[in-house]
Amino acid sequence: PTITQDTPIIERDELFVIVKAERGYKITSVTAGNETYTLTSNDNSNEITVNFTVLANNGVAALFSSSNTTIEVSADFDDITSPTDPTTWKIENDTLIVPKDADSNKIDKDLFSSAGDSFTSIDLSATKITTIGNDAFYNCSTLKEIILPEGLTTIGAGAFQSCSNLTSINLEDTKVKTIENNAFTDCTSLETVTLPNTVTKIANSAFWGCTSLTSINLGDTKIETIGINTLNECTSLKTVILPDTVGRIETAAFQSCTGLTNLFFTSATVPEIVEKSNDFPVVAGAFLGVDASKNNLTIHYPSTWTDGQIEDLKKKIAASGMKNVDIDNNVPKFESYTTLPTLSLLDAARLFGL
């Protein structure tokens, strides 16, 4: 850049130059006209203000470039991108650029927590990262999209908590086994979640408060427990397919899922479903706050279940804290299925009001 003013620049005039390095770079020197300031180890190489004073050289101001009203200003930078230090990765066009040679196997706590840098997407697909650490992207409210690497196995506690603009998570091509507590809590814009068949654990409160989530297919996973508060307050959730490995649905697992329309059981046996209890200690049932009389709620079970299993399921649902249950009048509805439908077919059926 150049600095131009209408009045002549004269000896002893002062010029303050403010230079800020973008992420992934550091400032090495600042030049104004013919004068250069080289940074020392005591200087802040991320942002610096350099004060140049115009000195006379045989009667001519030394900072002058070609006239007495213009000074050329420039700065030199070094690239400090480190494949093992995500804090040095560059942001270009609102996208966090992860080096292809990144060899870190973990994104640790708070590396992007409440990030001042307003990136909206990140692509980790070329990396060797296996773990997204606890709170790694906590409160990254500008993050809308993330592409995860194939080798990913663990999503830590609170890893994406309060990423309020994140709209989708696709883990289908990863090797994720564990999704820890509060991993996606309060991701209020999250609409779709795609899970791989490698998942064996979804911990407590993992999707609590994901108010835009409309469906979740757990059918291909190998989880044995739907944890405490796992899908609590997912108020837009309409369809849930449970895995055939599930043996227990915990306290408040589906509390306040007020939009629930279809719930599919796929296991060979009826899982334990935590009952509501007003005795001390008070226990919130697994389906507390879900209204059986709304949304034409239908609970689906395999056609291979016996009459005894069906009655057992009805009793457990009635005791789960679900409101307005009337088993004698088939509220909610209980229906068997032979072939499990796909979520896409269910979504189409809702679209046409079927």
Side-chain angles (χ1 to χ4, degrees), residues 242 249-257 260 263 265 273-274 284-291 299 316-317 320-323:
L242 299 173
I249 301 176
E250 270 290 359
T251 302
F254 294 96
Q255 181 173 332
S256 300
C257 290
L260 192 62
L263 175 64
F265 288 84
I273 300 175
V274 172
F287 291 92
L288 186 70
V290 175
D291 194 334
I299 296 176
K316 288 177 176 178
I317 290 293
S320 69
M322 189 177 289
K323 298 190 298 184

mmCIF file of all heavy atoms in Angstrom, residues 242 249-257 260 263 265 273-274 284-291 299 316-317 320-323:
data_model
loop_
_atom_site.group_PDB
_atom_site.id
_atom_site.type_symbol
_atom_site.label_atom_id
_atom_site.label_comp_id
_atom_site.label_asym_id
_atom_site.label_seq_id
_atom_site.Cartn_x
_atom_site.Cartn_y
_atom_site.Cartn_z
ATOM 1 N N LEU A 242 -34.200 -47.695 16.492
ATOM 2 C CA LEU A 242 -33.300 -48.212 17.519
ATOM 3 C C LEU A 242 -32.522 -49.411 16.984
ATOM 4 O O LEU A 242 -33.010 -50.140 16.106
ATOM 5 C CB LEU A 242 -34.096 -48.614 18.758
ATOM 6 C CG LEU A 242 -34.869 -47.483 19.445
ATOM 7 C CD1 LEU A 242 -35.752 -48.040 20.551
ATOM 8 C CD2 LEU A 242 -33.915 -46.433 20.003
ATOM 9 N N ILE A 249 -33.097 -48.348 27.723
ATOM 10 C CA ILE A 249 -33.339 -46.945 27.378
ATOM 11 C C ILE A 249 -33.384 -46.188 28.695
ATOM 12 O O ILE A 249 -34.255 -46.415 29.532
ATOM 13 C CB ILE A 249 -34.640 -46.773 26.587
ATOM 14 C CG1 ILE A 249 -34.575 -47.598 25.298
ATOM 15 C CG2 ILE A 249 -34.879 -45.305 26.253
ATOM 16 C CD1 ILE A 249 -35.854 -47.581 24.475
ATOM 17 N N GLU A 250 -32.443 -45.291 28.876
ATOM 18 C CA GLU A 250 -32.189 -44.675 30.171
ATOM 19 C C GLU A 250 -33.125 -43.507 30.505
ATOM 20 O O GLU A 250 -33.927 -43.069 29.680
ATOM 21 C CB GLU A 250 -30.736 -44.188 30.243
ATOM 22 C CG GLU A 250 -29.758 -45.218 30.778
ATOM 23 C CD GLU A 250 -29.949 -45.484 32.269
ATOM 24 O OE1 GLU A 250 -30.827 -44.853 32.897
ATOM 25 O OE2 GLU A 250 -29.216 -46.330 32.801
ATOM 26 N N THR A 251 -32.937 -42.996 31.703
ATOM 27 C CA THR A 251 -33.687 -41.854 32.211
ATOM 28 C C THR A 251 -33.636 -40.675 31.246
ATOM 29 O O THR A 251 -32.554 -40.267 30.815
ATOM 30 C CB THR A 251 -33.103 -41.417 33.573
ATOM 31 O OG1 THR A 251 -33.170 -42.514 34.480
ATOM 32 C CG2 THR A 251 -33.852 -40.218 34.123
ATOM 33 N N ALA A 252 -34.811 -40.151 30.902
ATOM 34 C CA ALA A 252 -34.936 -38.934 30.089
ATOM 35 C C ALA A 252 -34.264 -39.048 28.722
ATOM 36 O O ALA A 252 -33.960 -38.036 28.096
ATOM 37 C CB ALA A 252 -34.386 -37.724 30.844
ATOM 38 N N ALA A 253 -34.046 -40.264 28.255
ATOM 39 C CA ALA A 253 -33.377 -40.445 26.961
ATOM 40 C C ALA A 253 -34.101 -39.710 25.841
ATOM 41 O O ALA A 253 -33.480 -39.111 24.959
ATOM 42 C CB ALA A 253 -33.270 -41.931 26.633
ATOM 43 N N PHE A 254 -35.454 -39.735 25.892
ATOM 44 C CA PHE A 254 -36.265 -39.058 24.874
ATOM 45 C C PHE A 254 -37.191 -38.017 25.511
ATOM 46 O O PHE A 254 -38.224 -37.677 24.942
ATOM 47 C CB PHE A 254 -37.095 -40.088 24.101
ATOM 48 C CG PHE A 254 -36.271 -41.032 23.262
ATOM 49 C CD1 PHE A 254 -35.916 -42.279 23.748
ATOM 50 C CD2 PHE A 254 -35.840 -40.662 22.005
ATOM 51 C CE1 PHE A 254 -35.156 -43.151 22.992
ATOM 52 C CE2 PHE A 254 -35.076 -41.519 21.234
ATOM 53 C CZ PHE A 254 -34.728 -42.774 21.721
ATOM 54 N N GLN A 255 -36.798 -37.487 26.633
ATOM 55 C CA GLN A 255 -37.648 -36.504 27.320
ATOM 56 C C GLN A 255 -37.917 -35.289 26.436
ATOM 57 O O GLN A 255 -37.014 -34.778 25.761
ATOM 58 C CB GLN A 255 -36.990 -36.047 28.624
ATOM 59 C CG GLN A 255 -37.821 -35.046 29.414
ATOM 60 C CD GLN A 255 -37.222 -34.756 30.776
ATOM 61 O OE1 GLN A 255 -36.543 -35.588 31.348
ATOM 62 N NE2 GLN A 255 -37.483 -33.562 31.313
ATOM 63 N N SER A 256 -39.158 -34.861 26.422
ATOM 64 C CA SER A 256 -39.574 -33.641 25.701
ATOM 65 C C SER A 256 -39.339 -33.720 24.192
ATOM 66 O O SER A 256 -39.198 -32.684 23.537
ATOM 67 C CB SER A 256 -38.875 -32.404 26.287
ATOM 68 O OG SER A 256 -39.212 -32.244 27.652
ATOM 69 N N CYS A 257 -39.295 -34.936 23.653
ATOM 70 C CA CYS A 257 -39.270 -35.084 22.187
ATOM 71 C C CYS A 257 -40.714 -34.968 21.715
ATOM 72 O O CYS A 257 -41.370 -35.967 21.356
ATOM 73 C CB CYS A 257 -38.648 -36.416 21.788
ATOM 74 S SG CYS A 257 -36.871 -36.516 22.111
ATOM 75 N N LEU A 260 -42.276 -36.444 18.305
ATOM 76 C CA LEU A 260 -42.055 -37.843 17.965
ATOM 77 C C LEU A 260 -43.285 -38.454 17.284
ATOM 78 O O LEU A 260 -44.409 -38.371 17.791
ATOM 79 C CB LEU A 260 -41.702 -38.633 19.225
ATOM 80 C CG LEU A 260 -41.161 -40.049 19.008
ATOM 81 C CD1 LEU A 260 -39.861 -40.005 18.217
ATOM 82 C CD2 LEU A 260 -40.935 -40.738 20.355
ATOM 83 N N LEU A 263 -41.431 -44.553 16.255
ATOM 84 C CA LEU A 263 -40.349 -45.138 17.041
ATOM 85 C C LEU A 263 -40.284 -46.621 16.707
ATOM 86 O O LEU A 263 -41.271 -47.347 16.870
ATOM 87 C CB LEU A 263 -40.610 -44.939 18.532
ATOM 88 C CG LEU A 263 -39.620 -45.594 19.493
ATOM 89 C CD1 LEU A 263 -38.223 -45.000 19.332
ATOM 90 C CD2 LEU A 263 -40.098 -45.444 20.944
ATOM 91 N N PHE A 265 -38.587 -50.310 17.227
ATOM 92 C CA PHE A 265 -37.790 -51.276 17.970
ATOM 93 C C PHE A 265 -37.378 -52.376 16.997
ATOM 94 O O PHE A 265 -38.191 -52.864 16.208
ATOM 95 C CB PHE A 265 -38.600 -51.874 19.121
ATOM 96 C CG PHE A 265 -38.834 -50.919 20.253
ATOM 97 C CD1 PHE A 265 -39.888 -50.011 20.203
ATOM 98 C CD2 PHE A 265 -38.012 -50.921 21.365
ATOM 99 C CE1 PHE A 265 -40.113 -49.124 21.247
ATOM 100 C CE2 PHE A 265 -38.222 -50.035 22.417
ATOM 101 C CZ PHE A 265 -39.272 -49.134 22.364
ATOM 102 N N ILE A 273 -36.864 -50.168 29.863
ATOM 103 C CA ILE A 273 -37.188 -48.759 29.654
ATOM 104 C C ILE A 273 -37.393 -48.140 31.036
ATOM 105 O O ILE A 273 -38.265 -48.586 31.791
ATOM 106 C CB ILE A 273 -38.458 -48.589 28.797
ATOM 107 C CG1 ILE A 273 -38.261 -49.240 27.421
ATOM 108 C CG2 ILE A 273 -38.794 -47.108 28.640
ATOM 109 C CD1 ILE A 273 -39.511 -49.239 26.549
ATOM 110 N N VAL A 274 -36.580 -47.161 31.379
ATOM 111 C CA VAL A 274 -36.633 -46.583 32.720
ATOM 112 C C VAL A 274 -38.004 -45.974 32.985
ATOM 113 O O VAL A 274 -38.517 -45.186 32.180
ATOM 114 C CB VAL A 274 -35.521 -45.535 32.919
ATOM 115 C CG1 VAL A 274 -35.700 -44.783 34.238
ATOM 116 C CG2 VAL A 274 -34.160 -46.211 32.890
ATOM 117 N N ALA A 284 -36.942 -39.307 36.242
ATOM 118 C CA ALA A 284 -37.669 -38.960 35.017
ATOM 119 C C ALA A 284 -37.700 -40.183 34.118
ATOM 120 O O ALA A 284 -36.671 -40.816 33.870
ATOM 121 C CB ALA A 284 -36.984 -37.799 34.303
ATOM 122 N N GLY A 285 -38.866 -40.548 33.661
ATOM 123 C CA GLY A 285 -38.975 -41.699 32.776
ATOM 124 C C GLY A 285 -38.292 -41.446 31.441
ATOM 125 O O GLY A 285 -37.988 -40.307 31.065
ATOM 126 N N ALA A 286 -38.055 -42.518 30.708
ATOM 127 C CA ALA A 286 -37.335 -42.427 29.436
ATOM 128 C C ALA A 286 -38.039 -41.529 28.426
ATOM 129 O O ALA A 286 -37.399 -40.849 27.618
ATOM 130 C CB ALA A 286 -37.150 -43.821 28.847
ATOM 131 N N PHE A 287 -39.403 -41.503 28.464
ATOM 132 C CA PHE A 287 -40.173 -40.729 27.487
ATOM 133 C C PHE A 287 -40.976 -39.615 28.170
ATOM 134 O O PHE A 287 -42.015 -39.196 27.659
ATOM 135 C CB PHE A 287 -41.107 -41.651 26.714
ATOM 136 C CG PHE A 287 -40.392 -42.600 25.791
ATOM 137 C CD1 PHE A 287 -40.025 -43.868 26.228
ATOM 138 C CD2 PHE A 287 -40.049 -42.222 24.506
ATOM 139 C CE1 PHE A 287 -39.360 -44.750 25.390
ATOM 140 C CE2 PHE A 287 -39.384 -43.086 23.658
ATOM 141 C CZ PHE A 287 -39.039 -44.362 24.105
ATOM 142 N N LEU A 288 -40.451 -39.094 29.277
ATOM 143 C CA LEU A 288 -41.153 -38.041 30.005
ATOM 144 C C LEU A 288 -41.444 -36.847 29.097
ATOM 145 O O LEU A 288 -40.557 -36.351 28.406
ATOM 146 C CB LEU A 288 -40.307 -37.580 31.198
ATOM 147 C CG LEU A 288 -40.970 -36.579 32.140
ATOM 148 C CD1 LEU A 288 -42.091 -37.244 32.928
ATOM 149 C CD2 LEU A 288 -39.947 -35.973 33.098
ATOM 150 N N GLY A 289 -42.701 -36.404 29.094
ATOM 151 C CA GLY A 289 -43.061 -35.219 28.320
ATOM 152 C C GLY A 289 -43.483 -35.491 26.891
ATOM 153 O O GLY A 289 -43.979 -34.598 26.203
ATOM 154 N N VAL A 290 -43.300 -36.728 26.410
ATOM 155 C CA VAL A 290 -43.797 -37.094 25.077
ATOM 156 C C VAL A 290 -45.292 -37.358 25.186
ATOM 157 O O VAL A 290 -45.740 -38.073 26.088
ATOM 158 C CB VAL A 290 -43.071 -38.340 24.537
ATOM 159 C CG1 VAL A 290 -43.674 -38.775 23.202
ATOM 160 C CG2 VAL A 290 -41.585 -38.067 24.393
ATOM 161 N N ASP A 291 -46.075 -36.772 24.293
ATOM 162 C CA ASP A 291 -47.535 -36.897 24.343
ATOM 163 C C ASP A 291 -47.993 -37.987 23.375
ATOM 164 O O ASP A 291 -47.884 -37.840 22.153
ATOM 165 C CB ASP A 291 -48.192 -35.565 23.989
ATOM 166 C CG ASP A 291 -49.678 -35.528 24.348
ATOM 167 O OD1 ASP A 291 -50.301 -36.614 24.398
ATOM 168 O OD2 ASP A 291 -50.205 -34.417 24.565
ATOM 169 N N ILE A 299 -45.667 -46.705 17.574
ATOM 170 C CA ILE A 299 -44.525 -47.469 18.048
ATOM 171 C C ILE A 299 -44.520 -48.796 17.300
ATOM 172 O O ILE A 299 -45.485 -49.563 17.342
ATOM 173 C CB ILE A 299 -44.593 -47.681 19.567
ATOM 174 C CG1 ILE A 299 -44.498 -46.315 20.261
ATOM 175 C CG2 ILE A 299 -43.477 -48.604 20.034
ATOM 176 C CD1 ILE A 299 -44.646 -46.361 21.753
ATOM 177 N N LYS A 316 -44.301 -51.108 29.564
ATOM 178 C CA LYS A 316 -43.093 -50.294 29.779
ATOM 179 C C LYS A 316 -43.283 -48.878 29.226
ATOM 180 O O LYS A 316 -42.840 -47.900 29.834
ATOM 181 C CB LYS A 316 -41.887 -50.967 29.135
ATOM 182 C CG LYS A 316 -41.430 -52.210 29.895
ATOM 183 C CD LYS A 316 -40.269 -52.902 29.206
ATOM 184 C CE LYS A 316 -39.777 -54.088 30.041
ATOM 185 N NZ LYS A 316 -38.686 -54.827 29.389
ATOM 186 N N ILE A 317 -43.932 -48.760 28.096
ATOM 187 C CA ILE A 317 -44.212 -47.440 27.531
ATOM 188 C C ILE A 317 -45.153 -46.666 28.456
ATOM 189 O O ILE A 317 -44.959 -45.476 28.735
ATOM 190 C CB ILE A 317 -44.817 -47.559 26.118
ATOM 191 C CG1 ILE A 317 -43.768 -48.061 25.124
ATOM 192 C CG2 ILE A 317 -45.398 -46.225 25.658
ATOM 193 C CD1 ILE A 317 -42.625 -47.098 24.863
ATOM 194 N N SER A 320 -43.321 -45.114 31.351
ATOM 195 C CA SER A 320 -42.090 -44.391 30.999
ATOM 196 C C SER A 320 -42.171 -42.884 31.167
ATOM 197 O O SER A 320 -41.210 -42.181 30.856
ATOM 198 C CB SER A 320 -41.723 -44.694 29.541
ATOM 199 O OG SER A 320 -42.682 -44.101 28.661
ATOM 200 N N GLY A 321 -43.335 -42.384 31.627
ATOM 201 C CA GLY A 321 -43.505 -40.937 31.751
ATOM 202 C C GLY A 321 -44.181 -40.305 30.551
ATOM 203 O O GLY A 321 -44.416 -39.097 30.525
ATOM 204 N N MET A 322 -44.495 -41.103 29.534
ATOM 205 C CA MET A 322 -45.208 -40.594 28.361
ATOM 206 C C MET A 322 -46.617 -40.172 28.779
ATOM 207 O O MET A 322 -47.286 -40.860 29.546
ATOM 208 C CB MET A 322 -45.273 -41.674 27.281
ATOM 209 C CG MET A 322 -45.800 -41.179 25.943
ATOM 210 S SD MET A 322 -45.795 -42.471 24.655
ATOM 211 C CE MET A 322 -44.046 -42.674 24.327
ATOM 212 N N LYS A 323 -47.069 -39.027 28.277
ATOM 213 C CA LYS A 323 -48.376 -38.481 28.650
ATOM 214 C C LYS A 323 -49.502 -39.088 27.823
ATOM 215 O O LYS A 323 -49.309 -39.477 26.678
ATOM 216 C CB LYS A 323 -48.389 -36.953 28.450
ATOM 217 C CG LYS A 323 -47.397 -36.190 29.308
ATOM 218 C CD LYS A 323 -47.630 -34.690 29.236
ATOM 219 C CE LYS A 323 -47.443 -34.154 27.836
ATOM 220 N NZ LYS A 323 -47.585 -32.672 27.786
#
